[in-house]
Amino acid sequence: MEFRTDKPIYRQIIDYAFGCIIGGGWRPGEKVPSVRELAVSLAVNSHTVLKAYDQLQMQGIIISRRGMGFYLADDAPERVHAEQREEFFESTLTGVFESMDNLGISIDEIVERYTDFKSAR
């Protein structure tokens, strides 16, 4: 995995986990890679993976089973989807709105372009 400098590595590991969950590589109820396994496969410090796993655990996406490791929550895909939507509205869309203001783009123009985009699909 190639890490970017604009985002903390543990956040990029969370994004990686989200991709594994949404893509079906990690399935609800199944064991996820151990901290050590993921650290080795991503070539990062195990403490960084642990920080990401702690965050995923706080979000209810993975569950720790004492002595057995981490497992994906049954509703993990739905939780990931909700997290991604929230990040979109709080980060991405805010940036888009700032760009719109700076460029003098109206919401009507955006709606028109979005309608064209949806029609082309």
Side-chain angles (χ1 to χ4, degrees):
M1 183 172 170
E2 193 73 28
F3 292 104
R4 301 183 324 262
T5 58
D6 64 335
K7 193 175 198 179
I9 291 174
Y10 85 95
R11 283 291 318 155
Q12 293 178 64
I13 294 170
I14 291 170
D15 292 343
Y16 171 81
F18 283 3
C20 290
I21 294 164
I22 297 299
W26 294 5
R27 295 200 169 107
E30 292 184 358
K31 191 175 189 320
V32 300
S34 71
V35 170
R36 183 177 297 171
E37 289 169 341
L38 193 57
V40 168
S41 72
L42 298 178
V44 297
N45 188 296
S46 60
H47 292 290
T48 307
V49 174
L50 186 58
K51 186 173 183 176
Y53 274 21
D54 285 344
Q55 184 69 37
L56 291 168
Q57 211 173 350
M58 285 190 307
Q59 294 170 324
I61 294 168
I62 61 173
I63 300 161
S64 175
R65 294 189 183 156
R66 190 177 193 109
M68 297 177 64
F70 292 98
Y71 288 78
L72 200 60
D74 290 337
D75 62 347
E78 293 82 7
R79 288 179 180 265
V80 168
H81 187 258
E83 287 289 331
Q84 289 179 326
R85 283 180 56 89
E86 189 63 30
E87 184 175 336
F88 172 80
F89 283 117
E90 288 186 8
S91 298
T92 306
L93 200 53
T94 300
V96 169
F97 288 156
E98 288 172 359
S99 294
M100 286 172 59
D101 283 346
N102 291 337
L103 298 170
I105 298 171
S106 72
I107 194 69
D108 293 333
E109 290 175 273
I110 296 296
V111 169
E112 181 182 331
R113 294 284 179 112
Y114 181 71
T115 302
D116 292 345
F117 169 78
K118 291 295 279 186
S119 296
R121 288 181 95 187

